Amino acid sequence: MAGARLSSPAGNDRGSATLEFALVAPVFLFVLMAAMEMGILFWVNLSMQHAVREGARYAVTGQKNLDQSQDGAQRYRAVLQAIQDASMGLYRKVAPVISVGINGGTLQSYGSASLYGGAMFGGPGDVVVLRLDCTWPILTPLMQPFFEGGKYRFSVAATMRNEAF
């Protein structure tokens, strides 16, 4: 084949860079968004772990001064307020279900505020396990199929022995 050239060194490859970018960019963006999403998930998990630990630290003292109701302050409300204060505004977003076990007993779940009670966090000397079961929505649409229902479900817990209050 005389005169037929497959490519020229002068640059007949004008569209190849655009084609390569079109092939690589979606994969790169997916990996970038997945890394950012995973970072957010770890941050939310650690923030809620910190919040439950701070709530447990407050609960061991038997105080009730964080309860915002003026009449008959309750310890369980004060502990829940300590958890909310330490959660960096994530408490309502993760919609936690609180479970409490006293002295090695079965964890009892408290899904709504009406179920909370005065003995929720035990008495003096009791060993109490406080667990929050949380749900966080996955924001990146391509990541949602990897999580059941498009939500990240996780639990955080703290164990404490109440002081003699």
Side-chain angles (χ1 to χ4, degrees):
M1 291 214 200
R5 292 175 36 181
L6 297 176
S7 69
S8 74
N12 271 344
D13 301 331
R14 273 190 261 188
S16 65
T18 304
L19 179 63
E20 289 172 4
F21 179 77
L23 293 173
V24 173
V27 174
F28 174 74
L29 289 174
F30 173 73
V31 170
L32 179 67
M33 294 302 290
M36 290 173 57
E37 186 83 50
M38 295 304 287
I40 291 170
L41 296 181
F42 289 129
W43 173 73
V44 168
N45 193 316
L46 285 174
S47 296
M48 292 310 296
Q49 179 63 49
H50 170 72
V52 76
R53 188 171 47 246
E54 289 298 311
R57 288 181 63 202
Y58 181 83
V60 300
T61 63
Q63 296 181 66
K64 49 189 173 187
N65 60 341
L66 288 180
D67 183 7
Q68 301 187 6
S69 66
Q70 300 300 319
D71 54 333
Q74 297 290 320
R75 179 172 171 229
Y76 75 93
R77 287 189 201 140
V79 172
L80 294 177
Q81 187 63 45
I83 294 171
Q84 287 180 20
D85 291 347
S87 71
M88 298 174 54
L90 297 173
Y91 185 84
R92 286 192 174 87
K93 185 78 171 167
V94 298
V97 174
I98 298 170
S99 301
V100 179
I102 300 174
N103 291 330
T106 305
L107 290 178
Q108 182 174 353
S109 293
Y110 297 89
S112 68
S114 63
L115 297 175
Y116 301 147
M120 179 177 175
F121 296 106
D126 287 343
V127 175
V128 179
V129 176
L130 172 60
R131 184 180 79 196
L132 301 179
D133 296 315
C134 306
T135 304
W136 182 262
I138 301 299
L139 304 174
T140 308
L142 291 175
M143 292 288 293
Q144 290 175 353
F146 296 107
F147 295 89
E148 183 181 337
K151 296 184 184 291
Y152 172 55
R153 290 172 176 76
F154 63 98
S155 296
V156 293
T159 303
M160 61 185 167
R161 178 181 296 275
N162 289 333
E163 296 176 357
F165 46 82

